[in-house]
Amino acid sequence: MQEKYLDTDTLDAIGPLDVVTRQVVEGIRIGMHRSPIRGISTEFSAYRQYVPGDEIRHIDWKLYARTQRYFVKLFDAETNFVANLLMDASASMTFGSGNITKLEYAKYMVASLAYLIVDQRDSAGVGMFDGSLQRYIEPKSTPGILADISREMEKVEPKPRTNVADVLHEFAGRMTRRGMVMVFSDLLDNTDEFIKGINHLRFRGHNVTVFHILDPQEIEFPLNGVWRFEGLENDGELVTQPARVRQAYLRELEQFIGKVRGACIKSEADYVLVNTAEPIESVVSNYLLQRMAARIR
Amino acid sequence: MTFLNSPLLWTIAGAIGVAVPVIIHLLHQRHRRHTDWAAMELLRRALVVRSGQVKLEDILLLLLRCLVLALVAFALVRPTLEDQAEGGLLGEQRVGMVIAIDASFSMDHGKYDTRMEEARQRVSKILETAKEGDPITIVLMAESPRTLLRGANFNLDRCNDALEKAEVFPERFNLERATVELATLVDELKGSVKECYLVTDAQAVDWANFSKEAANGLETLARKSKLFLVPVETEGRENLAITDFSYASGSLGPGGLSRFTAEVRNFGLQTHDGGSISLSVNDRNGTPRSFGPIKPGESRLIDFYPDLDLSGDANLTASLGRNDDALAIDNRRMASVRVSDRIRILCIDGEPFAGDGPGETFWLRKALELNQLGDDASIEVVVTDWQETDPSAIGEYDLVFAANVEEVDSSIARSLDSFVRKGGGLVLFAGDRMDLPSYNENLGGLLPGELIGISAFGEGSETVGDSPGETSWTLAEPTSSHVLSQLTRTMPQEGRDAVRFRKSMEIRPDDNATIVLSLSGNGSPLVLEKQVDSGSVLFFATTADRDWSNLVVHPLFPMLMQQSITHLTNRPEAGRAGNLNPSESDLGQASAESLEEALSPLNAVVIPIAANLGGIVKETRKGTEISRTLLILALLVFLLQGYLARLFTNRMTSKGESSLQESLRKHTVVAARRT
């Protein structure tokens, strides 16, 4: 891969793992995922006694001849899924204490996951938003979409004020079929509104994963001395000694994370706290392993 | 409260110190770093909780840090509570002592134990009041101080060793200098209490009426320290001493006759029965001379006519015979003279072709070669024309006489200057041929003054006071201690008045010139002397012939010339160095009452001989230094602010930190369990 956000090392590290969804979703393409829609596939699954309403064409007449009973043949349909990856491109995502900003990190993650999805012939679409949906690439399963994603992400110009909730509501209305929605954001917005957006997506039957991206400095707040903090979202500035307020800040952070995480659990959405100090492949691998483990259970 | 270190200095230092944390705080606030920040809402909420508290904490920490530095600065000033008798919990009493022991030779008096022995015992008593670590200075005071211990931490063995080295010097006790030196030593001491002890025999000559300079010195000492006067005494005060022994007159050449005089004085309270005094020349004893009874306070002059046949330096010592006084050091006195076997004199004649009568060199040769016969003559006079004088030959002579020389060119002047500075003697006679500008210019460094011009009797106000009808000046009454002046004084008044002067050379004397003889009436100098390095120059403001005066035909002239030879070549006066100061021989002591009266304005303590020295010292000792307490307090405040700073900074313990990290780790991935 030659595209900027499709890092070969990252993809190699993630490669052996498949993107496995927990739920079987319907798809327009025959893929490797089980579908609840029986009879579309040619792969036999089981017999079931005929009940009124079943389609006559699904009755196994040979078995009727042997048993004098009506049985309907059931088939596992192989489908693909549509994944929409929504990346927060607001100004707050431009913060980065190390070599990489949260936005850059999110871009790498989005590109990597999109590649894995397309590689297994599922469809991936990407949306980039700040106050509203800034750019949207319709889901496709062709490899060419990866180049489109990378190109579009390079054009992103961060703007202040994220409104994740509105974007989630908009998506909930836009997606006609159930699918997968992955949100990449620092969620430094109105938490209650965000939770409503998640609930809306879940209500529409989508499988939602929230990647909560934070910088290590935001997580550990290790600064000493006197600092002037200037808000990236046009929210003023503050002068303080971080060491003196560190404990209070960390408590606030813990509460904030706890609230988002709790809301996700309640809505049956996946929640992933991402520290940009950690390698991307590690984060993605860890997430996929957790999902597989949850499927096995 | 007093301060052992300069309060002004340390107050400034303290103020700067206190300002440091304030400045650092302000700079800290000013030089804040900047960062963009995304999680502003979280930070804002954290600040709402902490901001008011943080300000209070900051102010408290700042005050505590300022207090630490203020306490340290205050401790460095070393404040002392004056009324505090003992150290106790509040502080410590550190006593700095300067012990000055009179080491003049009068302290050697005593038939059994000397006054110095007594002084050692008294000092030991003083040292018994010291504690380990107290700074101690022990100094011997005579003409100049000798330090035995300087600011040393008290250690009894070390102090005793120093006391063993205490000795008497053949010098007087210079109270004026001692007080100045002691004040310096007191300043050096670091102690909450400063004490200065003067251990002395308190001779009346020093202490009964001390000079204003000494009084000022004692006042300074008493202001800087607690001043104690510790008198010592020994039994009896009878003392016979030779107070003077010196060359009086006469020729010191081989075969010449010279007179030396010894003065014997009775400093005791009883009449001395008399005794003998002997003179030794270069350790060869002469015949003792007896003297009769001497009453208390009286002196007796005894003349000696030593045999000085051998050339070279002669050391003469006058010693009292067996004497039962208890101070032996002042029973002898010394003098030294140089005896020359041959003296070469160059006479430069400034008027070699004088028509009428004998010229200057005729009279000079007569006076200088007095009683000299043929080859045995010890004085050789060479006469030369002033225009034919060889400058390079001047150094071969002991003396140079120049009479009425018209001009002194630069080469002659340089030779004469070098000759005099190396120890030669130059005698100049005035005359009407002298070119005064050339003298003033070329011989300015040698002349005892600036030559102004010739004055003649009756031309000005110089006649005032003279009797009407007088036609010339006479010699004024000789008052100088110069040997030529004393010689002139030995001549009867009538004889002196027979010398008449019609003219004289006016001269404005230099500051370092000595006027030996003057003229009556106008009082203008007749004979002057100026010391130039090792030699000297005599200037006669009259001629060496009969043109201006009849001096050359008067018996005084050869006497003056002979004495000038001795004075300029032998310098017997210089041999008096190294003798004792006779004032120290007076062993009379000031009474304790008179000392108390004299020192009472200074709040000094006189400790009588019979008194309990240690008890009095301890009773008067007051002053506690509280710097240690202040430093401990500063340390405690420092620790407190450190603890509070740590507390306020809310540095999380490892337990708290790991707990939060663990909490975040658990939250990392939460895969929802959907129904």
Side-chain angles (χ1 to χ4, degrees):
Chain A
M1 303 293 292
Q2 298 300 315
E3 307 303 333
K4 180 179 176 183
Y5 298 109
L6 295 172
D7 180 62
T8 313
D9 294 339
T10 304
L11 294 173
D12 285 347
I14 301 168
L17 299 169
D18 294 332
V19 177
V20 182
T21 57
R22 194 190 314 226
Q23 292 179 310
V24 178
V25 296
E26 22 173 89
I28 57 171
R29 269 189 50 184
I30 302 300
M32 58 182 290
H33 305 278
R34 289 183 300 165
S35 170
I37 304 170
R38 313 277 172 168
I40 295 176
S41 169
T42 56
E43 189 175 335
F44 172 75
S45 169
Y47 286 105
R48 166 170 70 73
Q49 197 159 9
Y50 172 80
V51 290
D54 286 341
E55 288 191 35
I56 301 298
R57 62 190 177 109
H58 289 158
I59 295 172
D60 189 337
W61 297 109
K62 290 180 181 175
L63 190 61
Y64 171 76
R66 287 200 298 271
T67 61
Q68 297 299 309
R69 290 183 180 179
Y70 295 106
F71 287 95
V72 177
K73 288 173 79 173
L74 298 179
F75 298 90
D76 278 345
E78 289 183 346
T79 68
N80 73 344
F81 71 91
V82 174
N84 275 294
L85 291 80
L86 300 181
M87 187 183 75
D88 182 356
S90 65
S92 68
M93 288 291 283
T94 59
F95 178 74
S97 61
N99 296 326
I100 191 166
T101 63
K102 291 187 284 186
L103 183 60
E104 293 289 301
Y105 196 95
K107 286 176 179 177
Y108 281 112
M109 279 195 79
V110 167
S112 302
L113 286 167
Y115 173 82
L116 290 174
I117 291 166
V118 172
D119 192 49
Q120 62 182 24
R121 293 193 294 277
D122 291 320
S123 297
V126 173
M128 285 155 265
F129 62 93
D130 38 54
S132 59
L133 190 63
Q134 201 182 91
R135 296 170 192 278
Y136 182 66
I137 302 162
E138 292 289 343
K140 290 178 187 171
S141 60
T142 56
I145 193 172
L146 296 173
D148 295 341
I149 291 170
S150 186
R151 197 182 313 111
E152 288 300 316
M153 282 197 297
E154 279 194 58
K155 294 178 186 171
V156 167
E157 292 176 5
K159 291 178 185 170
R161 189 50 61 201
T162 305
N163 194 345
V164 184
D166 284 353
V167 176
L168 296 183
H169 287 307
E170 186 183 340
F171 248 84
R174 179 183 289 211
M175 291 178 70
T176 53
R177 287 189 300 150
R178 288 188 293 169
M180 192 163 193
V181 178
M182 295 179 180
V183 181
F184 301 83
S185 173
D186 54 14
L187 304 176
L188 296 171
D189 191 17
N190 189 327
T191 314
D192 294 333
E193 289 299 318
F194 166 74
I195 291 168
K196 283 179 186 172
I198 295 291
N199 287 338
H200 191 178
L201 283 170
R202 287 296 302 144
F203 178 77
R204 299 295 293 263
H206 297 299
N207 187 0
V208 179
T209 300
V210 176
F211 288 93
H212 192 177
I213 300 173
L214 291 174
D215 187 87
Q217 216 167 67
E218 289 173 332
I219 295 172
E220 296 163 12
F221 206 47
L223 305 174
N224 285 313
V226 179
W227 287 77
R228 181 166 65 85
F229 296 92
E230 191 170 342
L232 289 167
E233 301 279 4
N234 292 337
D235 42 5
E237 63 176 38
L238 288 170
V239 177
T240 188
Q241 290 176 270
R244 306 285 294 280
V245 296
R246 182 167 182 250
Q247 199 169 38
Y249 171 86
L250 291 179
R251 277 203 203 98
E252 292 293 334
L253 177 70
E254 198 176 12
Q255 283 178 13
F256 166 61
I257 292 172
K259 188 174 180 180
V260 175
R261 174 180 157 274
C264 288
I265 291 172
K266 194 175 175 183
S267 308
E268 295 183 332
D270 292 344
Y271 173 84
V272 181
L273 177 63
V274 179
N275 183 344
T276 59
E278 292 179 18
I280 293 170
E281 62 271 25
S282 166
V283 173
V284 175
S285 300
N286 198 23
Y287 159 66
L288 294 177
L289 281 171
Q290 291 283 337
R291 279 191 62 85
M292 287 181 74
R295 184 188 177 203
I296 291 164
R297 285 197 299 268
Chain B
M1 182 178 288
T2 56
F3 305 96
L4 299 184
N5 286 329
S6 164
L8 179 64
L9 179 70
W10 289 105
T11 302
I12 293 169
I16 293 169
V18 169
V20 164
V22 178
I23 293 166
I24 289 173
H25 177 77
L26 294 175
L27 289 176
H28 203 53
Q29 292 290 329
R30 197 178 181 84
H31 293 95
R32 53 202 177 201
R33 282 168 285 182
H34 166 260
T35 183
D36 292 330
W37 193 252
M40 287 296 280
E41 191 56 33
L42 296 177
L43 187 56
R44 195 167 278 125
R45 269 187 254 147
L47 276 174
V48 168
V49 176
R50 289 279 291 150
S51 61
Q53 221 174 337
V54 164
K55 278 183 185 171
L56 283 175
E57 289 167 3
D58 279 348
I59 291 169
L60 182 60
L61 286 175
L62 183 65
L63 289 176
L64 287 175
R65 285 164 185 170
C66 290
L67 182 60
V68 169
L69 289 167
L71 285 170
V72 170
F74 195 42
L76 290 174
V77 181
R78 302 183 67 184
T80 301
L81 298 177
E82 289 173 338
D83 296 333
Q84 196 74 17
E86 285 293 333
L89 291 173
L90 196 58
E92 60 179 344
Q93 193 175 61
R94 185 65 66 194
V95 182
M97 296 183 190
V98 171
I99 302 172
I101 304 171
D102 183 351
S104 62
F105 70 81
S106 65
M107 292 291 283
D108 205 28
H109 177 264
K111 280 192 175 176
Y112 307 106
D113 279 349
T114 63
R115 290 180 179 180
M116 181 54 85
E117 284 296 327
E118 285 288 316
R120 286 197 189 98
Q121 290 174 20
R122 301 283 276 171
V123 172
S124 295
K125 292 281 183 192
I126 295 167
L127 290 173
E128 284 174 8
T129 66
K131 297 192 296 288
E132 286 286 333
D134 285 345
I136 305 287
T137 294
I138 300 177
V139 60
L140 299 176
M141 305 301 300
E143 185 63 51
S144 58
R146 278 89 166 175
T147 307
L148 298 177
L149 275 180
R150 189 162 191 163
N153 289 341
F154 173 69
N155 175 285
L156 190 57
D157 292 337
R158 194 196 299 179
C159 289
N160 286 335
D161 289 345
L163 280 181
E164 286 297 317
K165 293 174 189 166
E167 58 179 340
V168 169
F169 298 96
E171 298 170 7
R172 64 178 279 258
F173 178 55
N174 188 336
L175 181 58
E176 291 80 5
R177 186 167 176 184
T179 52
V180 173
E181 299 285 346
L182 291 175
T184 307
L185 293 171
V186 165
D187 280 340
E188 290 177 1
L189 290 180
K190 300 291 182 190
S192 55
V193 182
K194 288 185 180 182
E195 295 172 348
C196 181
Y197 297 88
L198 296 174
V199 185
T200 175
D201 55 3
Q203 285 174 277
V205 67
D206 293 322
W207 291 91
N209 290 301
F210 39 71
S211 65
K212 189 177 177 184
E213 194 181 349
N216 289 339
L218 287 169
E219 189 182 341
T220 306
L221 259 185
R223 196 173 58 247
K224 295 180 177 218
S225 64
K226 184 68 185 173
L227 183 61
F228 294 91
L229 185 67
V230 186
V232 294
E233 70 174 12
T234 45
E235 192 178 342
R237 53 162 289 188
E238 297 304 314
N239 185 31
L240 198 65
I242 301 176
T243 55
D244 188 37
F245 175 59
S246 59
Y247 163 85
S249 61
S251 171
L252 289 170
L257 184 66
S258 59
R259 179 168 63 92
F260 287 77
T261 303
E263 183 185 40
V264 181
R265 185 176 178 84
N266 181 5
F267 288 101
L269 298 173
Q270 298 170 6
T271 300
H272 193 274
D273 295 336
S276 65
I277 182 168
S278 61
L279 175 69
S280 68
V281 179
N282 291 338
D283 297 329
R284 281 186 290 116
N285 290 325
T287 307
R289 294 201 59 188
S290 299
F291 57 89
I294 306 176
K295 291 181 179 175
E298 288 189 354
S299 300
R300 182 69 51 84
L301 292 175
I302 296 126
D303 290 334
F304 291 94
Y305 300 90
D307 185 6
L308 300 174
D309 285 341
L310 298 175
S311 62
D313 290 337
N315 296 316
L316 297 90
T317 305
S319 308
L320 283 172
R322 290 191 60 184
N323 184 14
D324 58 355
D325 69 37
L327 186 61
I329 194 171
D330 58 1
N331 289 350
R332 61 205 296 265
R333 209 162 179 88
M334 293 158 289
S336 69
V337 293
R338 189 188 306 156
V339 180
S340 303
D341 58 346
R342 192 170 185 82
I343 297 171
R344 298 193 74 212
I345 300 173
L346 176 67
C347 275
I348 303 174
D349 194 349
E351 198 178 13
F353 307 110
D356 48 344
E360 281 95 342
T361 51
F362 170 81
W363 298 105
L364 279 174
R365 185 190 282 270
K366 288 287 182 190
L368 296 172
E369 290 182 339
L370 195 68
N371 296 331
Q372 301 292 314
L373 297 173
D375 292 339
D376 295 334
S378 61
I379 295 175
E380 180 189 356
V381 179
V382 176
V383 177
T384 179
D385 184 346
W386 71 277
Q387 290 175 312
E388 296 173 359
T389 305
D390 180 8
S392 62
I394 287 176
E396 299 170 4
Y397 296 89
D398 299 301
L399 291 174
V400 174
F401 281 69
N404 197 15
V405 172
E406 182 180 332
E407 190 180 353
V408 180
D409 65 32
S410 57
S411 63
I412 292 283
R414 277 198 302 275
S415 295
L416 287 174
D417 188 79
S418 170
F419 166 73
V420 173
R421 291 184 189 281
K422 288 177 180 172
L426 174 63
V427 183
L428 298 170
F429 279 88
D432 45 16
R433 292 170 63 88
M434 292 172 73
D435 176 30
L436 301 189
S438 83
Y439 271 81
N440 287 329
E441 184 177 346
N442 295 332
L443 276 185
L446 297 180
L447 288 174
E450 183 188 1
L451 302 180
I452 299 170
I454 300 168
S455 68
F457 185 86
E459 286 182 350
S461 60
E462 64 275 4
T463 55
V464 174
D466 286 346
S467 303
E470 290 275 351
T471 58
S472 56
W473 297 297
T474 58
L475 279 171
E477 177 70 22
T479 55
S480 167
S481 61
H482 193 277
V483 65
L484 295 182
S485 181
Q486 290 181 1
L487 175 71
T488 308
R489 196 160 53 232
T490 59
M491 182 165 278
Q493 176 76 37
E494 296 80 14
R496 291 201 304 264
D497 288 346
V499 187
R500 313 296 295 190
F501 299 90
R502 293 184 301 280
K503 288 183 180 177
S504 75
M505 179 65 73
E506 281 192 69
I507 183 169
R508 184 180 298 121
D510 287 348
D511 291 339
N512 53 357
T514 304
I515 298 174
V516 180
L517 292 172
S518 302
L519 294 174
S520 64
N522 65 353
S524 62
L526 175 66
V527 182
L528 302 94
E529 184 178 26
K530 181 180 180 182
Q531 292 286 332
V532 182
D533 291 349
S534 301
S536 62
V537 178
L538 273 173
F539 181 80
F540 285 77
T542 187
T543 54
D545 60 9
R546 300 181 63 182
D547 285 354
W548 290 11
S549 73
N550 64 350
L551 176 64
V552 293
V553 294
H554 192 276
L556 183 60
F557 186 65
M559 290 169 64
L560 286 173
M561 292 303 102
Q562 288 296 314
Q563 192 61 62
S564 295
I565 294 171
T566 304
H567 171 68
L568 294 174
T569 56
N570 303 103
R571 303 188 178 283
E573 296 84 1
R576 294 177 185 172
N579 280 322
L580 302 176
N581 188 312
S583 65
E584 274 294 316
S585 296
D586 186 353
L587 300 174
Q589 292 179 287
S591 65
E593 293 75 21
S594 65
L595 288 172
E596 279 177 4
E597 187 181 343
L599 297 176
S600 59
L602 307 178
N603 201 24
V605 178
V606 179
I607 304 178
I609 291 162
N612 176 7
L613 193 153
I616 292 173
V617 167
K618 283 185 176 175
E619 193 177 318
T620 54
R621 187 171 286 167
K622 282 189 168 61
T624 296
E625 187 183 340
I626 58 170
S627 57
R628 186 178 59 183
T629 310
L630 291 171
L631 285 174
I632 292 171
L633 200 57
L635 180 65
L636 290 175
V637 177
F638 179 76
L639 293 175
L640 176 65
Q641 70 81 28
Y643 170 75
L644 289 178
R646 188 177 171 78
L647 190 70
F648 294 160
T649 309
N650 277 327
R651 284 182 185 148
M652 303 181 88
T653 59
S654 57
K655 187 181 174 185
E657 185 117 13
S658 63
S659 152
L660 182 62
Q661 294 302 324
E662 178 68 15
S663 167
L664 290 174
R665 193 183 62 76
K666 282 178 182 172
H667 295 167
T668 300
V669 179
V670 179
R673 296 179 184 176
R674 297 184 179 82
T675 56

